């Protein structure tokens, strides 16, 4: 049980966050944090209780996205990060890669097999960009 992959889910859409959390838990992952906004990460994350992977919704219209991602990667560089988004043509991909983001999942293109593949690849130290 201790080698169960620990996941943090951050998404402002309650239904998506709840469905993703349920899917992950049914497939052997442990969801340690389920947050509505990136601002909640600073209060929720503790060095002795970090997730292995953070799945964070990215909205190009929200300036705080990059601020929260920078904070996470600077504070806890060991946490791998997968971005989920609807806006694949507006993602600052190079900036995200330079920041150390491990992958991007386009919500409209992703099925459950792709999510599982992305999580396994990222956990094993690889990147995933669909």
């Amino acid at each position: 049980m201790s080698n169960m992959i620990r996941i943090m889910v951050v998404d402002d859409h309650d239904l998506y966050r709840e469905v993703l959390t349920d899917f992950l838990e049914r497939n052997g992952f442990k969801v340690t944090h389920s947050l509505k906004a990136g601002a909640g990460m600073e209060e929720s994350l503790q060095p002795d209780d970090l997730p292995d992977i953070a799945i964070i919704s990215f909205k190009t219209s929200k300036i705080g996205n990059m601020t929260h991602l920078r904070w996470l990667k600077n504070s806890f560089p060991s946490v791998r990060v997968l971005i989920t988004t609807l806006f694949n043509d507006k993602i600052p991909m190079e900036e995200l890669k330079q920041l150390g983001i491990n992958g991007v999942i386009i919500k409209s293109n992703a099925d459950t097999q792709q999510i599982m593949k992305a999580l396994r690849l990222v956990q094993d130290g690889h990147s995933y960009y669909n």
Side-chain angles (χ1 to χ4, degrees), residues 61-77:
S61 62
K62 302 243 180 164
I63 294 172
N65 276 314
M66 291 305 291
T67 301
H68 299 308
L69 291 173
R70 278 189 196 93
W71 175 85
L72 177 60
K73 290 307 285 182
N74 288 332
S75 300
F76 304 109

Side-chain angles (χ1 to χ4, degrees), residues 6-119:
R6 297 165 45 87
I7 307 284
M8 173 175 65
V9 177
V10 181
D11 197 295
D12 64 337
H13 291 105
D14 293 336
L15 180 61
Y16 183 84
R17 189 177 65 251
E18 290 171 16
V19 169
L20 181 59
T21 296
D22 183 59
F23 167 76
L24 293 169
E25 290 178 341
R26 284 187 290 113
N27 282 280
F29 297 93
K30 170 132 179 84
V31 176
T32 59
H33 303 82
S34 179
L35 305 171
K36 188 172 183 107
M41 289 189 297
E42 294 179 31
E43 294 83 38
S44 298
L45 291 179
Q46 300 298 318
D48 60 341
D49 187 33
L50 292 176
D52 299 304
I53 301 173
I55 301 174
I56 301 174
S57 177
F58 188 90
K59 291 183 178 36
T60 56
S61 62
K62 302 243 180 164
I63 294 172
N65 276 314
M66 291 305 291
T67 301
H68 299 308
L69 291 173
R70 278 189 196 93
W71 175 85
L72 177 60
K73 290 307 285 182
N74 288 332
S75 300
F76 304 109
S78 67
V79 176
R80 295 171 182 96
V81 179
L82 274 171
I83 298 297
T84 60
T85 185
L86 291 172
F87 308 103
N88 62 333
D89 60 335
K90 297 177 183 175
I91 293 286
M93 198 65 75
E94 288 307 312
E95 188 176 358
L96 291 173
K97 286 180 181 179
Q98 289 174 358
L99 188 58
I101 302 307
N102 304 95
V104 175
I105 297 173
I106 308 303
K107 289 179 182 179
S108 59
N109 297 339
D111 59 22
T112 55
Q113 290 177 342
Q114 287 175 312
I115 292 170
M116 294 294 287
K117 179 181 178 181
L119 288 168

